[in-house]
Amino acid sequence: MPLERIALISDAHGNLTALDAVLDDIASRGIDRIINLGDFVGKGPRGSEVVDRCDKVCDVNIRGNWDDHLPVWDDESAAEMIWWRDELRADQREWLTALPLSHDLLISGRQIRLFHASAVSPHVRVRARHTPEEFDGMFANTPMTGEGPAPSVVGYGDIHDAFVKVDHGRTLFNVGSVGNPLDEPVPSYAILEGVVDDPAPAPFGLQLVRVPYDVEAEIDAATRLGMPALRPYAVELRTAVYRGLQQA
């Protein structure tokens, strides 16, 4: 059976410049199947265009925490939250909140589960430095994931910090962030390779990929569009230092 490749992206966060660079890299490798693990919007200036692009090119789109709460954010919040919310069309807000929360697939005999942040909720975070109990919880069947076959491979996004950990036959990996990486200031995504929809053991691959892009062009776009909270956004893109840890 031929090996197939699937690209996994996450956390574009309105950064269209980075998203297009990653999509170009995926296409250059001849990969035409893409699964998006969520957080299309917020933080960056072009969430609306990111939603349209991902709706068009991704085979599966999963709801992230920003996709869940931003479309229904109230008017009494921070100016940047209102700006990011109102940058979206009404149909895009409906599209985001209707997305599934997890997706299962079978590759080379391995049961794989994908979601945004955890098996409990897109709002429950599991960091790269996690406890054994948190690791176990990522492989559990929950009301969010449903009662499908227990996975041996779990991939997620949310923390903007790419990693792979293998423990007692189970693999947990994070694809990192396309639009707002916080481990190093270079977008990342993952590639799964194997025999799709086949329960028999076969060669299986998991690769993390980094794609440089024009950071200053993205900051210029945010400036041109008048996006609030521009300074912390620019610092994050240039340095990968989270805005909550930046010095005033």
Side-chain angles (χ1 to χ4, degrees):
M1 297 287 289
L3 300 182
E4 299 179 48
R5 290 181 295 170
I6 300 173
L8 308 179
I9 66 174
S10 191
D11 294 272
H13 278 297
N15 185 339
L16 186 65
T17 313
L19 175 63
D20 282 345
V22 167
L23 292 178
D24 286 347
D25 187 78
I26 292 170
S28 75
R29 297 168 188 265
I31 301 172
D32 58 10
R33 185 173 177 185
I34 303 172
I35 298 176
N36 191 319
L37 306 189
D39 272 9
F40 305 76
V41 296
K43 293 180 174 274
R46 292 182 285 185
S48 179
E49 291 178 78
V50 165
V51 167
D52 283 344
R53 186 84 87 252
C54 293
D55 184 27
K56 180 179 179 181
V57 305
C58 297
D59 294 77
V60 175
N61 289 290
I62 294 171
R63 190 189 339 157
N65 56 304
W66 278 81
D67 314 317
D68 195 49
H69 67 62
L70 185 63
V72 296
W73 209 267
D74 65 50
D75 290 329
E76 304 304 318
S77 55
E80 60 267 25
M81 298 298 294
I82 297 170
W83 193 93
W84 290 321
R85 181 200 66 189
D86 291 349
E87 196 252 336
L88 299 169
R89 303 188 308 267
D91 66 292
Q92 293 176 322
R93 297 178 203 173
E94 293 176 3
W95 183 84
L96 287 168
T97 55
L99 293 175
L101 293 174
S102 68
H103 180 73
D104 287 4
L105 64 161
L106 183 65
I107 301 179
S108 294
R110 297 171 186 252
Q111 194 66 39
I112 298 170
R113 178 165 291 159
L114 306 170
F115 43 66
H116 181 68
S118 75
V120 176
S121 163
H123 300 281
V124 174
R125 180 158 294 153
V126 174
R127 300 189 183 278
R129 294 183 179 179
H130 47 264
T131 66
E133 293 76 19
E134 287 174 322
F135 182 90
D136 289 343
M138 297 294 269
F139 297 85
N141 284 336
T142 67
M144 189 194 88
T145 66
E147 294 298 323
S152 60
V153 180
V154 168
Y156 72 116
D158 183 57
I159 59 174
H160 304 203
D161 187 358
F163 75 87
V164 179
K165 180 177 181 179
V166 181
D167 184 65
H168 290 88
R170 296 179 298 176
T171 300
L172 178 66
F173 70 96
N174 191 284
V175 306
S177 172
V178 168
N180 189 232
L182 296 175
D183 45 7
E184 66 169 276
V186 182
S188 65
Y189 73 97
I191 298 172
L192 297 178
E193 184 174 29
V195 183
V196 178
D197 297 329
D198 192 335
F204 173 80
L206 167 59
Q207 179 184 6
L208 294 176
V209 181
R210 295 281 180 177
V211 183
Y213 76 109
D214 191 341
V215 174
E216 298 307 318
E218 176 60 21
I219 294 171
D220 288 346
T223 304
R224 183 177 68 253
L225 292 168
M227 188 187 81
L230 176 63
R231 182 188 176 279
Y233 181 63
V235 173
E236 282 183 341
L237 295 194
R238 289 170 176 147
T239 68
V241 175
Y242 174 62
R243 63 191 61 199
L245 300 177
Q246 296 171 16
Q247 295 182 352

